Amino acid sequence: MTSSTSTYGSDSSNESKLMAYITSLILMASGFFNKSPYLRKMTTKPKTHLSTPVSNYISQSETMKAHVAVLPSPGMGPIIPLLELAKQLVVRHGIHVSLLNITTEASAAQNQLLHSPTLPPNLKVIDLPLVDISALVTEDAGIVTRLCINVQESLKPLKSVLIELGKPQALIIELFWTQAFEICNELSIPTYMLFTCSTAFLAFTLYLPTLDREVECEYVDLPEPVQAPGCTPIRIEDLLDQVRNRKIDEYKWVLFHFNRTPLATGIFLNSWEDCETALLKAIRELPFYKQIATPPVHPVGPLIKEDEPLTELGAKCVAWLDKQPLDSILLVSLGSGGTLTAQLTELAWGLELSQQRFILVARKPTDGSASGSFFNVDGDVNDPKAYLPEGFIERTKGVGLVVPSWAPQVAVLRHPSTGVFLSHYGWNSTLESIIYGVPMIAWPLYAEQKMNAAMLVEEVGVAVKPMVGEGKGVVEREEIERMVRMVMEGEEGKAIRGRAKELEHSASQGLNFGGSSYESLFCVVKEWTTSDQI
């Protein structure tokens, strides 16, 4: 039997790739990939449906080559890229995929997304049983602790589920599912990890166990920035919240899973070769990463939400955008889990003072953490007049549009009227902005978002970041006004807009047939299909 290594690049291999790619083109032409994000800001059209199943477009030799299971953590952040990877495996590579869905504490948005009637054939969603974590999680438990305990309890039936599925050729997990390694080793199932954050954060993930062994004090007390090999130094104030106190459960969970990341058979990365080139090279070549046995890294991104159904409110947003000038709108949205407290008043005043057009996605402020709506996406029905400055909505009418809780972010970002995105810098939102060539104003809230913002402002050059007033604790309205005007009207704004356009092009090229991300995923698929034939 010829190995996958020796056959890759052969005529039969190229024919296989071409067949899969032609299949994806047929599906796109038929409407399955309607409004592809890789085409620049297309106008919204009604989604069409195929009258013939997807499997009919794939030859018998291409269909059901392998069966792969994917296992996302709860929350829209990790679910979106894993679902998009699953779609690509099914539609572009002829793989049968079973997606295992954690139903405990699942948001309405998560359930709606994973049970959409538009999911492709050969992508099956299996709901894992509800588990009771009430006795294991305190009311003040952090977001990572709550998530990890949920995953730990939901993991218990995994072995029987995988056996019932016929032991898939591979399992793809997310960062907080590393307990699956032992189960899959017992069943001889290769386990891959989809790393849903940036390459820079992957380097930090791989480095943290070493930092934990070598440093005795709290990281926040270090006199110098933290520097993972091959990376730009991380300022202490930009470290993610979960590592700022080594005594808390949040840190212990993070360290546990970060320490086990090298156990993966391979790491799929939601990025692409031209986005973070130097960091990818470092992880692949520097001795440190080889010494800790870093698995092969396969950039397969950007994996972003291809489309989302428009609600009545979403349709109103798009209709309002249709009436606005080209590149004139600032979208202000802080992601599926983000909220602001005292800062919201200053933000609103800054928008008003800037006299720029905007869409503000307003979520009710919480007294708790900035991640207050992580487990409650779309669950807060609120009246923005109750917490925005008095008269703000009336004074900005016509110039601004205030949308309670949620807006169709993909549809807004790809609209020609959208010119800038004020973002929390979650990685999904960052990639959505890049793929549509929209420059950003960085407003990180929680998790790794401060690290993302620093990297993309200082290294990639697609964003700017407002300054927090000294001793103030908030970004003041005058700074917000200055920043918005600069990006919308100034020379610096033109420069980052140009860089965003460059990355937009390289991202779409990487995903196309023959592009770096397409080839990276195809190489692994070839291993799965070849091993299935041995």
Side-chain angles (χ1 to χ4, degrees):
M1 176 65 66
T2 306
S3 69
S4 60
T5 303
S6 61
T7 58
Y8 179 69
S10 66
D11 290 342
S12 62
S13 176
N14 288 333
E15 289 174 5
S16 175
K17 287 192 289 185
L18 184 58
M19 187 68 176
Y21 186 65
I22 289 172
T23 299
S24 69
L25 292 179
I26 292 171
L27 292 169
M28 282 191 284
S30 302
F32 188 81
F33 279 116
N34 188 33
K35 304 185 293 295
S36 169
Y38 318 124
L39 304 176
R40 169 68 173 157
K41 293 185 175 180
M42 297 176 66
T43 57
T44 303
K45 298 179 181 178
K47 177 171 282 189
T48 58
H49 297 275
L50 293 172
S51 58
T52 306
V54 175
S55 56
N56 286 15
Y57 289 104
I58 305 174
S59 68
Q60 187 63 36
S61 62
E62 296 297 314
T63 304
M64 306 293 285
K65 281 183 178 177
H67 178 199
V68 173
V70 299
L71 191 54
S73 297
M76 294 296 284
I79 281 175
I80 288 172
L82 270 160
L83 178 60
E84 293 305 322
L85 178 61
K87 289 179 182 178
Q88 287 201 15
L89 289 171
V90 170
V91 177
R92 294 185 132 197
H93 299 281
I95 302 295
H96 176 63
V97 176
S98 296
L99 188 149
L100 309 182
N101 175 38
I102 292 184
T103 55
T104 303
E105 296 197 327
S107 67
Q110 174 180 324
N111 289 328
Q112 182 180 10
L113 178 67
L114 293 182
H115 294 90
S116 168
T118 63
L119 292 180
N122 291 336
L123 172 52
K124 181 180 181 182
V125 175
I126 300 171
D127 289 333
L128 296 177
L130 287 167
V131 295
D132 183 5
I133 62 172
S134 58
L136 304 173
V137 178
T138 60
E139 289 186 4
D140 61 348
I143 184 174
V144 170
T145 299
R146 192 175 193 93
L147 185 150
C148 288
I149 291 175
N150 187 352
V151 167
Q152 177 178 269
E153 295 303 302
S154 298
L155 185 76
K156 292 179 178 178
L158 178 61
K159 182 178 179 180
S160 60
V161 170
L162 293 174
I163 292 173
E164 187 175 342
L165 289 173
K167 294 204 295 187
Q169 275 68 45
L171 174 69
I172 305 173
I173 64 170
E174 196 262 338
L175 178 60
F176 295 109
W177 269 100
T178 65
Q179 295 101 321
F181 288 139
E182 285 77 14
I183 295 171
C184 289
N185 285 342
E186 186 179 343
L187 298 175
S188 299
I189 298 174
T191 308
Y192 294 77
M193 178 181 290
L194 175 59
F195 198 82
T196 58
C197 302
S198 67
T199 309
F201 192 65
L202 173 60
F204 178 77
T205 296
L206 295 167
Y207 177 62
L208 182 64
T210 299
L211 186 68
D212 181 77
R213 290 192 299 270
E214 294 180 350
V215 173
E216 294 184 0
C217 66
E218 294 287 355
Y219 305 139
V220 294
D221 295 328
L222 289 172
E224 302 291 338
V226 173
Q227 184 166 16
C231 298
T232 300
I234 304 167
R235 292 184 291 266
I236 299 302
E237 61 267 27
D238 289 337
L239 288 171
L240 69 159
D241 295 338
Q242 287 78 15
V243 305
R244 299 177 69 82
N245 182 348
R246 299 169 72 179
K247 301 179 183 67
I248 61 174
D249 288 342
E250 296 275 284
Y251 178 76
K252 294 171 185 176
W253 277 113
V254 163
L255 182 63
F256 172 78
H257 289 292
F258 285 18
N259 194 48
R260 292 162 60 82
T261 298
L263 297 177
T265 304
I267 297 175
F268 293 121
L269 186 62
N270 193 11
S271 189
W272 64 103
E273 294 286 348
D274 291 339
C275 184
E276 302 170 88
T277 307
L279 286 168
L280 279 169
K281 183 178 174 65
I283 291 173
R284 287 165 172 163
E285 298 181 4
L286 290 184
F288 169 80
Y289 299 103
K290 293 182 179 181
Q291 289 167 4
I292 63 172
T294 300
V297 176
H298 310 282
V300 296
L303 300 167
I304 68 169
K305 187 189 296 185
E306 296 216 355
D307 198 13
E308 53 196 347
L310 284 181
T311 63
E312 182 179 353
L313 182 58
K316 289 182 179 178
C317 285
V318 174
W320 186 83
L321 283 168
D322 289 340
K323 301 174 184 177
Q324 308 306 317
L326 181 70
D327 289 334
S328 66
I329 300 300
L330 167 68
L331 170 63
V332 181
S333 178
L334 299 174
S336 61
T339 55
L340 289 176
T341 51
Q343 181 65 77
L344 187 58
T345 298
E346 292 298 306
L347 177 59
W349 276 111
L351 292 175
E352 183 174 348
L353 291 170
S354 75
Q355 298 182 331
Q356 301 296 314
R357 301 171 189 264
F358 66 86
I359 291 179
L360 170 62
V361 182
R363 290 191 173 90
K364 187 176 180 179
T366 64
D367 294 328
S369 70
S371 59
S373 62
F374 184 88
F375 290 110
N376 192 33
V377 179
D378 294 349
D380 58 327
V381 177
N382 67 83
D383 178 10
K385 288 185 177 181
Y387 50 84
L388 290 173
E390 185 177 355
F392 170 79
I393 294 177
E394 291 76 12
R395 291 192 302 271
T396 59
K397 187 176 182 180
V399 175
L401 178 66
V402 177
V403 183
S405 302
W406 178 88
Q409 184 166 293
V410 170
V412 173
L413 284 173
R414 71 167 169 232
H415 197 284
S417 296
T418 303
V420 178
F421 183 20
L422 191 155
S423 168
H424 64 305
Y425 257 61
W427 194 239
N428 289 341
S429 291
T430 298
L431 294 179
E432 288 170 2
S433 195
I434 289 173
I435 199 71
Y436 297 117
V438 178
M440 289 167 276
I441 298 174
W443 201 295
L445 294 178
Y446 63 96
E448 85 291 357
Q449 294 167 8
K450 293 179 182 179
M451 296 169 64
N452 289 344
M455 183 267 293
L456 289 159
V457 170
E458 298 165 16
E459 298 178 42
V460 182
V462 293
V464 294
K465 184 178 178 182
M467 301 293 294
V468 177
E470 186 174 352
K472 301 286 186 179
V474 297
V475 181
E476 296 179 286
R477 62 191 68 179
E478 293 82 9
E479 171 65 4
I480 296 168
E481 175 193 4
R482 183 190 72 83
M483 187 65 56
V484 171
R485 286 182 178 273
M486 179 184 70
V487 180
M488 296 294 288
E489 302 175 340
E491 292 301 315
E492 187 170 352
K494 293 178 182 178
I496 64 172
R497 190 182 304 278
R499 177 57 179 152
K501 299 286 188 184
E502 292 174 8
L503 280 180
E504 173 192 8
H505 177 72
S506 73
S508 61
Q509 288 294 106
L511 288 163
N512 288 339
F513 177 69
S516 61
S517 292
Y518 182 95
E519 292 289 327
S520 183
L521 182 56
F522 181 82
C523 285
V524 180
V525 169
K526 190 67 177 177
E527 292 177 10
W528 295 338
T529 56
T530 303
S531 65
D532 191 37
Q533 296 167 6
I534 297 175

